[in-house]
Amino acid sequence: MDALSHLVGGFAVALQPLNLGLAFVGVLVGQLVGVLPGIGPINAIAILIPLIFATGLSPESALILLAGIYYGSQYGGSISAILLNVPGEASAVVTAIDGHAMTRAGRGGPALAIAAIASFVGGTLSVFGLVLLAPLLAEWAIGFGPAEYFALMVFAFSALSTLSGGSVARGLASTALGLWLATVGLDPHSAVPRYTFGQIQLLDGMDFVVVTIGLFAVSEVLQLLEEGGAGDAAALAYGRVRISLKDLRDSMAAMLRSAGLGFLVGVLPGAGSTIAAFLAYSTEKRVAGLSGRFGQGDIRGVAAPESANNAAATGAMIPMLTLGVPGSGTTAVMLGALLGLGVTPGPLLIEQEPDLFWGLAASMYVGNVFLLLLNLPLVGVFIRALSLPRWFLMPGVTALAFVSVYAVNGSAFDLALMTLFGVVGYAMRKLGFPLAPVVLGLVLGPLMEKNLRRALALSGGEWRVLFDSPIAIALWVLALASLAAPVAIRRITDLKASDAATDATSS
Amino acid sequence: MTSREDVAATANGEKPSPEWPERIPGAVLVVLGVAAGLEATTFDVAFLSDPVGPKALPYLVAVALILSGIHQALRPDPGTRWPERAALVRMGLASSAFLGYTLVLPWLGFLLSTTLVVAALSHLFFAVPRRGVPAAAGLAFALWLLFVWVLALPLPVGRLWMR
C-alpha cells in the first residue's frame, strides 16, 4: 500500500532524536495543561509559538510539538474529571459523569485506566483515519478555486460560530470581531492602512499570538481572580490504576465505535472534541439500553467519550492540513504557526511537504504510546500537579504569557494589547460570547479576503462567480445548514447540550 | 448590574422582562459596527486594483456587528452574574498591574519587573508574602535562565541599570 510506505518514511522523521524529544515534551505539556482545569491546550500552544519562531525549529518539528500538546491534553482532561468531578478540559465534561461516579464507588483506579486505554484506542485508530482520509480529501480539493475556498471558509465560520456559542447572534458577533481584527493594518492588496489610527505598531496588523494569549490566558486569570483563592481541591482516593479483562471486554465495542464517530465529528468544522464526546456518550447510552448503568458509574460512560475526544482531536487536524481551513480555535492557532513558519497548508501539502505530514502521523503513534505510559504507571505524578496552589500556578502562567508575548516583537506595546484583550475576553466569557471564532476569524480573515478578491478579480467583478460551481453551491448549502445544527444536536443528545456548547469555547 | 431578582424570577419559572443594563452589550456591538463602517468609508485607493477593494470585508464586519447587536439589544440574554465588589477590585488591580508591567519593563528590566508583577498577582490569589515573594523571584530568575541562556532570546535588562 502506498500510504504504508509513506508512513515508514514518516517514522524516519518522527524517530529522529529531536522530534522524538519534542513529541515527548509536547504530550507531557499537553497532559499537564489537560489535567489542570482552566489552562487549555490553546493557551499552551499560543505561548509556545513565539519560542518556536525564535528557536528556528523546522515546521515538522514544530507541528509534532504543537499537535502533541493538542492530543495530549485530551488524555489529561479525564484525570481531574474522574477524581475531582472538575473536567480539566471541556471535552472531558461527559467523562466526569460516570468517571466520578466510579470513583465514589471505589473504582477510581479502573476509571483512570480505562480512560487512558480508551484515549489510546481513539488516538491510535484515528491516525489510520488521518493517513487514509487526508490524501483523499487533498485530491478532492485540488481543483478548488478561490470561489470554492471562500465558500469553504464561510462554512467553517458558520459551523464554528453556531456550534460553539449556543446563540447564533453571539457567534456571529464573535466571528465578526475576529474578521475585524484581521483587517487591522496595511491592506496587503492596496497598501491602504485600515484601523491603524496612526499607530505605527498597528501597521503590521494584530498578531494572532498576542490576541489569543490575551483572550484565553489573561481572561482565564481574571476569571479565576473572580472566583477567589479556592480551587486547591484534594483528589479522592483512587486505588490501583488497573483494569480487569472483563471491564476491558465490556467496553471494547464502545471504544471502537466511539473512535470512528469521534474521528468523523472531528473532521467536520466547528464540532470538535467536546461535541464528539457528547455524541459518543449518548450513542453508547442508547446502544446499551436497559443493560447500561450510565450516570451511575458505567465503565462505557468513560470509555466512549475518551475514545471519541481523542479521535476527534486527530480528525480536526485533517481540514487544517489538507484544506488550509481549520475548524476550531486550537487548530486555527496551529495554522497560524505553520503560516508563520512559511508552510501554507492546503491540498498540495502532503505532496510538497511529505516529511511534515507523514512525520506528524508517525509521531502521533509514538506520542500516543508515550501518553499511555504516562497515564498508566505515572498517573500519580499528574494527580499531584492538581494540588499545586492557585497562587503559584496562575501567576506562573501569566509570567510565561508575558515572556512569550514580549518575544513576538520585543515590544511592550504588545503586552498592553494583550491585557486589553484579556479584559475583552473576560467580558465576552461572562456575556456568553464564544472566543474560538475570534481566533479563527483573525487567522483565516486575510485568506478569506484574498480568495474573495481573487475570485472577483478573475470574474471581472461578477458576484455570481461565488455560486458558480456545484462544489461552491454545496458548501454554501452546508454553511446555511450548519445554522440549524445546534437544534439538531440538542435533539440527538439527551444531555444538556447548552452546557457543552458554552464550554466548547476553549476546545 | 444584573439584578438578583431576575435570576430568582427565572428560577421561579417567570419570564423576567429585560432591563436596560442587559441591553448594553447589544448596544455596544451596534456602536462598534457603526464605527467600523464609518471608518471603512475612508479606505480609499488611488486606482482600483481589484473589483472588491479594501472596504468590502470591513463593511461586511460592520453589518454583522450591527445585526447581531440589534438582535441582542432587542432580545437580551438575562442571567449574567457580575462579580462582587471585592472580586472586581482584585481584577482591576491585576489588570492595572499588567499595564504597569508594560510601563516599567523597559526601565526596571525583566527580572525586577517580573518579580514585582508575579508577587502582586500571587498576593491577589491570597498567597502570604513570605511564600509569594520568594516564589516570584525564583520564577523570574528561572524564566530568565530559560530564555536568555537556553533559548538565547533577548529580554530587557533595564535602562536604569545600564548607565
Side-chain angles (χ1 to χ4, degrees), chain A residues 6 55 107 192 259 294 468:
Chain A
H6 284 305
T55 49
R107 303 221 315 134
V192 173
F294 279 77
D468 239 10

Side-chain angles (χ1 to χ4, degrees), chain A residues 51 54-55 169-170 173 187 190 192 194-195 225-226 228-229 391 396 398 402-403 406 412 415-416 419 426 430 433 453 456, chain B residues 36 45 50-54 58 68 71-72 77 80-81 83 90-91 94 98 101-102 121-122 126-127 139 147 151 153 156:
Chain A
L51 311 188
T55 49
R170 283 191 294 256
D187 170 29
S190 59
V192 173
R194 298 190 287 189
Y195 303 114
L225 273 175
E226 179 192 338
W391 67 259
T398 312
F402 281 161
V403 184
Y406 184 82
L415 288 168
T419 308
Y426 169 78
K430 285 303 257 186
F433 287 85
R453 290 164 107 166
L456 287 168
Chain B
V45 266
D50 67 312
V52 179
S68 167
H71 182 270
Q72 283 168 82
D77 190 45
T80 299
R81 286 191 60 178
R90 278 203 304 276
M91 289 155 56
F98 298 166
Y101 182 75
T102 70
L121 192 57
S122 66
F126 305 108
L139 189 73
F147 280 79
L151 298 173
L153 277 177

Side-chain angles (χ1 to χ4, degrees), chain B residues 5-14 16:
Chain B
E5 295 88 279
D6 275 0
V7 182
T10 322
N12 291 336
E14 298 164 38

Side-chain angles (χ1 to χ4, degrees), chain A residues 50-51 54-55 150 167-170 172-174 176-177 179-180 182-183 187 189-197 218 221-230 389-392 394-400 402-404 406-407 412-420 423 426-427 430-433 445-446 448-449 452-454 456-458 460-461 463, chain B residues 25 29 32-33 35-37 39-40 42-45 47 49-65 67-69 71-72 77 80-84 87-88 90-92 94-99 101-103 105-106 110 114 117-119 121-128 131-132 135-136 139 143 146-147 151 153-156:
Chain A
L51 311 188
T55 49
F150 181 72
S167 145
V168 175
R170 283 191 294 256
L172 177 69
S174 292
L177 196 66
L179 289 174
W180 190 15
T183 61
D187 170 29
H189 226 90
S190 59
V192 173
R194 298 190 287 189
Y195 303 114
T196 53
F197 308 106
V218 177
V221 171
L222 293 178
Q223 187 152 22
L224 289 175
L225 273 175
E226 179 192 338
E227 288 170 20
R390 213 173 247 183
W391 67 259
F392 180 74
M394 292 328 286
V397 170
T398 312
L400 265 176
F402 281 161
V403 184
S404 162
Y406 184 82
F413 176 80
D414 283 341
L415 288 168
L417 211 55
M418 174 199 78
T419 308
L420 173 75
V423 176
Y426 169 78
K430 285 303 257 186
L431 293 165
F433 287 85
M448 177 169 150
E449 192 177 25
L452 175 66
R453 290 164 107 166
R454 198 177 281 171
L456 287 168
L458 289 173
W463 286 85
Chain B
L29 285 177
L32 280 178
E39 176 74 13
T42 66
F43 301 155
D44 289 318
V45 266
F47 57 95
S49 53
D50 67 312
V52 179
K55 290 182 186 179
L57 189 61
Y59 281 152
L60 190 73
V61 165
V63 169
L65 286 176
L67 284 181
S68 167
H71 182 270
Q72 283 168 82
D77 190 45
T80 299
R81 286 191 60 178
W82 293 102
E84 313 272 321
L88 270 181
R90 278 203 304 276
M91 289 155 56
S95 310
S96 315
F98 298 166
L99 286 178
Y101 182 75
T102 70
L103 293 178
L105 181 64
F110 176 80
T114 307
V117 75
V118 170
L121 192 57
S122 66
H123 185 69
L124 290 173
F125 274 109
F126 305 108
V128 283
R131 297 162 85 181
L139 189 73
L143 283 175
L146 177 67
F147 280 79
L151 298 173
L153 277 177
L155 290 173

